[in-house]
Amino acid sequence: MTLADRSVVVVGSGFGGLATACYLADAGADVTVVEKNEQLGGRASVLERDGFRFDMGPSWYLMPDVFERFFGHFDRRPEDYYGLERLDPHYKIFFKDSAPPAGADTSSGRGPRDGDAVTVTADREATKAAFEEYEPGAGAALDAYLAEAEETYEIGMEHFVYTDRPRFRDYVDWDVARHARGLTFLGSMQDHVEEYFDHPKLQQIMQYTLVFLGGSPENTPALYNLMSHVDFNLGVHYPEGGMGGVVDGIAELGAELGVEYLTDCEVEAILGSAGEFRVEVDAEWSDRAGDHLRADLVVSDADYAHTEQELLPPQGRQYDADYWESRTYAPSAFLLYLGVEGDLGPLEHHTLVLPTDWDDHFDGIFGEPGWPDDPAYYLCVPSETDETVAPEGHSNLFALVPIAPGLDDDPATRERYRDFVLDDIAENTGVDLRDRIVVEERFCVSDFADRYNAARGSALGLAHTLRQTGPLRPNRRSTEVPGLYFTGSYTTPGIGVPMCLISGQHTADAVLEDYGE
């Protein structure tokens, strides 16, 4: 099928938008991507200042098979656009508030306050030995857990992720029943992990990836145990140039396929329908863009709620304000981008700092919203791997604290919490940053709302709760405006860079099904 002689405007250049644009251009469409901000990538923006380069959003390159499949569709490989290095160790976890397990070797790699940290490496036997320190039999339990996670991944990806099933009726067939047998769809991740591990720290290690899905152990379906296969078996990688390098690579591929890009061009309205769309932008760009903003079809990779509530006329909206108000949103984040003199000692490229009991932190996100008093957070030090992200003799540090969307983040609150986070890092990792910071930028709830038009300032969109997974996510096709489609993290398969790439293919397939010849 072909989309020759069809024109398409893609609103927003996150990974979903960039991927959709590539697929549509490859199918023959005349594609223009319109981006509000000064650079492509959506939340995968890059901040450069005084010789430091920070990935502002995604920083974990997971599921390399998805990237290979994406580029392979166009007879390319990821390495045609960027290099890729497998990290070892994968990451390190500092536990805040309890002593190390009895008999543990505390001679190296342990936290300064209580001696308890775990480094997860590519060596499965070493990881099993570390698990055994916490709980007899945990090494064998890890093998069993990962075997199930691998099966879930292989079946889930092929039959429930790569195979698009956006409607309930798509699940009512023999193929679904046959492949779903044995998969854990119901129940929470907390319930599932408890079947294998009793020690709360081991449970946390198996669940930390939920941060990437915008959920908590109690509200994320057990099906997402597949993320442990991603973590332990497929490994953690670092792309040349960081995630910004991946954005550049996909944008370069798009340009080769004929995609045109307009940046610094904010969309103010989407009017019309199939064959006669008009995408309205600010006056400056209206003159410069010309016919680029008239299209047969439109795909929105902008925030779904923003598109519906702000860009479409009332008669073009599928969901009302009450619908968006009732959704469970993934966390926002308090972010620090720090350029630091010297090295950062015990911190790895990816480091997590976790309270032993993190229930209160998740309750402060999904229950009673508030700034966490004992937060779980993530530290990224890409300068451990990539010397180009910081000047010589300096380190690059990205600190991320998940917080509830919609919190008030006025300047005084940000300043107070910044000092609190720096104190917490010093206390729990032994790395005191306070007198070594030469570059500092902050990003929080209101910035997500302003820069990305994100509902409630969410960093990710809709959480992957049981009621917001699969066919319960918003429609890929507009039911009210013929020729309007959606892509990105709000749609299936959901949150995360790999999922957004796959969403791009699903959206392009829907366009081809409806309008291809």
Side-chain angles (χ1 to χ4, degrees), residues 8-12 17-18 20-21 24 31-35 299-301 487:
V8 183
V9 168
V10 177
V11 180
L18 293 176
T20 305
L24 293 177
V31 182
T32 300
V33 175
V34 183
E35 168 55 45
V299 176
S300 180
D301 185 43
T487 191

Side-chain angles (χ1 to χ4, degrees), residues 267-297:
V267 172
E268 297 179 345
I270 299 172
L271 304 175
S273 61
E276 52 182 12
F277 276 108
R278 187 172 79 255
V279 178
E280 293 193 346
V281 297
D282 59 72
E284 175 187 359
W285 260 108
S286 291
D287 295 335
R288 295 160 64 191
D291 290 340
H292 285 294
L293 300 178
R294 293 183 179 274
D296 297 314
L297 306 166

Side-chain angles (χ1 to χ4, degrees), residues 440-455:
E440 178 175 347
E441 294 288 347
R442 305 169 196 175
F443 204 87
C444 201
V445 178
S446 58
D447 300 301
F448 282 102
D450 292 343
R451 182 170 176 81
Y452 307 122
N453 294 317

Side-chain angles (χ1 to χ4, degrees), residues 380-465:
C380 181
V381 188
S383 50
E384 286 290 303
T385 303
D386 184 353
E387 63 181 16
T388 70
V389 299
E392 185 176 357
H394 292 75
S395 296
N396 175 315
L397 174 65
F398 163 116
L400 183 156
V401 184
I403 60 174
L407 289 183
D408 184 1
D409 63 341
D410 61 87
T413 299
R414 290 188 186 213
E415 184 69 24
R416 175 187 63 80
Y417 210 72
R418 175 259 192 198
D419 293 340
F420 171 77
V421 170
L422 294 181
D423 287 345
D424 202 86
I425 292 171
E427 182 174 5
N428 291 292
T429 72
V431 178
D432 196 336
L433 305 167
R434 288 166 290 200
D435 296 327
R436 302 162 55 192
I437 297 171
V438 297
V439 165
E440 178 175 347
E441 294 288 347
R442 305 169 196 175
F443 204 87
C444 201
V445 178
S446 58
D447 300 301
F448 282 102
D450 292 343
R451 182 170 176 81
Y452 307 122
N453 294 317
R456 297 191 194 171
S458 166
L460 300 168
L462 292 183
H464 275 278
T465 64

Side-chain angles (χ1 to χ4, degrees), residues 39-299:
Q39 57 183 285
L40 301 175
R43 284 170 169 80
S45 294
V46 174
L47 170 65
E48 296 191 65
R49 181 173 160 191
D50 299 339
F52 293 90
R53 186 178 73 249
F54 302 92
D55 279 326
M56 295 181 66
S59 59
W60 293 67
Y61 189 99
L62 299 168
M63 302 173 70
D65 53 318
V66 173
F67 294 86
E68 292 165 4
R69 181 165 174 156
F70 169 75
F71 282 103
H73 178 88
F74 309 98
D75 295 322
R76 271 86 157 179
R77 303 173 301 165
E79 51 265 42
D80 294 333
Y81 299 92
Y82 52 84
L84 202 60
E85 179 178 350
R86 182 161 183 167
L87 298 182
D88 194 10
H90 294 178
Y91 53 88
K92 184 175 185 176
I93 297 178
F94 288 93
F95 293 105
K96 290 187 182 185
D97 53 6
S98 67
D105 177 7
T106 60
S107 60
S108 64
R110 302 299 182 179
R113 183 165 75 175
D114 60 25
D116 198 6
V118 173
T119 300
V120 175
T121 73
D123 183 342
R124 171 78 69 83
E125 292 306 312
T127 302
K128 289 167 59 178
F131 273 47
E132 287 286 344
E133 291 183 354
Y134 288 95
E135 182 179 315
L142 177 63
D143 278 338
Y145 187 93
L146 293 180
E148 182 184 26
E150 181 175 8
E151 181 181 12
T152 302
Y153 184 86
E154 291 175 351
I155 294 175
M157 290 295 290
E158 191 60 36
H159 298 284
F160 300 97
V161 176
Y162 287 125
T163 301
D164 192 24
R165 302 184 192 276
R167 300 158 298 193
F168 281 105
R169 67 176 184 235
D170 297 323
Y171 288 80
V172 186
D173 65 39
W174 171 245
D175 184 64
V176 171
R178 180 164 55 91
H179 289 104
R181 188 179 300 127
L183 294 187
T184 305
F185 282 98
L186 302 178
S188 70
M189 275 292 295
Q190 183 63 37
D191 294 335
H192 182 65
V193 172
E194 285 177 351
E195 294 178 6
Y196 289 85
F197 305 101
D198 293 326
H199 201 288
K201 292 182 180 179
L202 298 183
Q203 293 177 11
Q204 286 183 323
I205 293 172
M206 307 314 295
Q207 295 170 337
Y208 85 90
T209 51
L210 299 184
V211 172
F212 303 125
L213 300 174
S216 77
E218 297 292 348
N219 71 12
T220 303
L223 177 66
Y224 291 101
N225 72 335
L226 61 82
M227 290 300 295
S228 290
H229 173 66
V230 171
D231 174 4
F232 288 89
N233 296 336
L234 298 182
V236 181
H237 297 74
Y238 178 77
E240 180 183 6
M243 294 304 292
V246 181
V247 170
D248 292 343
I250 295 175
E252 181 181 346
L253 167 62
E256 294 168 2
L257 296 169
V259 177
E260 296 191 54
Y261 302 99
L262 304 180
T263 56
D264 271 324
C265 183
E266 182 168 8
V267 172
E268 297 179 345
I270 299 172
L271 304 175
S273 61
E276 52 182 12
F277 276 108
R278 187 172 79 255
V279 178
E280 293 193 346
V281 297
D282 59 72
E284 175 187 359
W285 260 108
S286 291
D287 295 335
R288 295 160 64 191
D291 290 340
H292 285 294
L293 300 178
R294 293 183 179 274
D296 297 314
L297 306 166
V298 170
V299 176

